[in-house]
């Protein structure tokens, strides 16, 4: 007889505040990545995060798609059926490119994207406008996953995770450093690399890695191509890393000016969130800057 399987969250953070709050006044921030599904509940009135939950999964069979795992999460997590005031859906997908806003034409969005990325089956091509940076973020997401989430949440608010990260990075005064600052948002098997110098965005892309040395190589190579020195540039890490992890040690060995990103300022966080290292879930918290 088959054993019943219920997917469980990797992280589940909340307190009595959640039960005491009318969630129909709140915003749900949802972040979908490769093998990950996370969300945070935000009270816009108090600018306070009330809850966070994160799931990590691998398909039970080769043929099992992300959509089926997300459907299992919905079956197990009844909070997702709350009638939130607003739901923002964000996707951390590798198929993304930045286009200067003056050159962007909506009808050509697929052409911009597929100059740099291969076209995939069942993709929906979307874009986010970032006016304060003069950029448009063009990206592709799985059409079936997008359709399912839009239907379940009755929401058309969709964006790419990197749009939130760019807004968060822009609030960091260290982007003005002339020697350059590198932001690295690390996820399992992949990371987002973003480089600023003198207030200008020089690079943003997603890359795959097997070890910290792969990340070191991409950082050093990118900095040198941009005319910057890896020994002088600052590097800030985000994601589920710890100081005793192999990836961190390999980065620290070659990049002396290593530091962590922090949760966005201007928001309140429940005590249990402050017990988690401040660089964890940075990409999820950053979505609050977009609502």
């Amino acid at each position: 007889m088959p054993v019943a399987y219920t997917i469980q969250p990797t992280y589940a953070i909340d307190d009595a505040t959640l039960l005491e709050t009318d969630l129909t006044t709140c915003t749900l921030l949802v972040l979908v990545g490769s093998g990950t599904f996370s969300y945070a509940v935000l009270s816009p009135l108090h600018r306070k995060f009330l809850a966070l939950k994160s799931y990590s999964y691998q398909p039970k069979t080769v043929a099992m798609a992300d959509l089926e795992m997300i459907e299992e999460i919905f079956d197990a997590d009844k909070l997702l059926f709350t009638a939130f005031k607003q739901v923002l859906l964000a996707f951390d997908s590798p198929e993304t490119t930045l286009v200067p806003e003056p050159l962007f034409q909506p009808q050509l969005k697929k052409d911009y994207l597929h100059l740099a990325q291969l076209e995939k089956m069942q993709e929906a091509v979307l874009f986010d406008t970032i006016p304060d940076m003069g950029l448009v973020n063009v990206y592709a997401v799985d059409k079936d996953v997008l359709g399912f989430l839009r239907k379940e949440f009755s929401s058309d608010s969709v964006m790419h995770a990197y749009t939130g990260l760019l807004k968060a990075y822009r609030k960091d005064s260290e982007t003005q450093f002339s020697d350059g600052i590198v932001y690295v948002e690390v996820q399992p098997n992949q990371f987002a690399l973003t480089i600023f110098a003198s207030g200008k965005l020089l690079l943003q892309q997603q890359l795959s890695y097997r070890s910290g040395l792969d990340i070191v190589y991409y950082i050093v190579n990118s900095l040198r191509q941009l005319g910057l020195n890896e020994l002088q540039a600052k590097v800030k890490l985000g994601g589920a890393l710890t100081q005793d992890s192999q990836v961190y040690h390999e980065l620290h060995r070659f990049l002396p000016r290593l530091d962590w990103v922090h949760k966005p300022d201007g928001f309140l966080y429940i005590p249990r969130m402050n017990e988690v290292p401040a660089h964890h879930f940075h990409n999820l918290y950053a979505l609050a800057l977009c609502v």
Side-chain angles (χ1 to χ4, degrees), residues 92-110:
D92 185 358
S93 62
E95 294 78 30
T96 177
T97 190
L98 294 171
V99 180
E101 191 174 10
L103 303 178
F104 179 72
Q105 297 180 48
Q107 68 273 22
L108 298 178
K109 60 186 180 182
K110 287 188 176 182

Side-chain angles (χ1 to χ4, degrees), residues 7-23:
I7 191 167
Q8 297 294 327
T10 309
Y11 284 89
I13 304 172
D14 62 38
D15 62 13
T17 308
L18 188 66
L19 298 176
E20 297 166 357
T21 304
D22 178 5
L23 296 183

Side-chain angles (χ1 to χ4, degrees), residues 70-109:
I70 292 173
E71 288 173 339
E72 288 200 12
I73 292 170
F74 270 76
D75 289 340
D77 194 334
K78 301 310 176 187
L79 183 65
L80 294 173
F81 293 97
T82 303
F84 291 97
K85 183 177 181 180
Q86 181 183 6
V87 178
L88 174 63
L89 306 174
F91 292 85
D92 185 358
S93 62
E95 294 78 30
T96 177
T97 190
L98 294 171
V99 180
E101 191 174 10
L103 303 178
F104 179 72
Q105 297 180 48
Q107 68 273 22
L108 298 178
K109 60 186 180 182

Side-chain angles (χ1 to χ4, degrees), residues 47-81:
R47 293 183 67 80
K48 182 177 182 179
F49 283 93
L50 307 178
L52 180 151
K53 198 171 285 188
S54 180
Y55 296 86
S56 298
Y57 54 82
Q58 291 182 340
K60 290 181 287 184
T61 67
V62 174
M64 191 172 192
D66 278 356
L67 176 57
E68 295 175 80
M69 297 303 295
I70 292 173
E71 288 173 339
E72 288 200 12
I73 292 170
F74 270 76
D75 289 340
D77 194 334
K78 301 310 176 187
L79 183 65
L80 294 173
F81 293 97

Side-chain angles (χ1 to χ4, degrees), residues 205-274:
Q205 63 184 132
Q206 187 177 101
L207 298 157
S208 300
Y209 73 96
R210 293 185 178 180
S211 71
L213 292 177
D214 292 335
I215 301 177
V216 170
Y217 168 79
Y218 285 121
I219 292 174
V220 171
N221 187 51
S222 297
L223 285 170
R224 290 181 180 179
Q225 287 190 19
L226 294 168
L228 299 170
N229 188 318
E230 69 273 13
L231 299 180
Q232 297 173 348
K234 289 191 173 184
V235 179
K236 285 191 171 182
L237 302 175
L241 285 178
T242 61
Q243 206 157 343
D244 59 356
S245 67
Q246 183 180 10
V247 169
Y248 180 85
H249 284 299
E250 290 173 336
L251 291 170
H252 189 264
R253 180 180 168 193
F254 295 97
L255 303 165
R257 306 189 72 182
L258 202 58
D259 201 357
W260 303 101
V261 296
H262 296 282
K263 298 191 293 292
D265 294 329
F267 297 94
L268 300 173
Y269 301 86
I270 62 172
R272 286 190 62 200
M273 289 178 178
N274 291 323

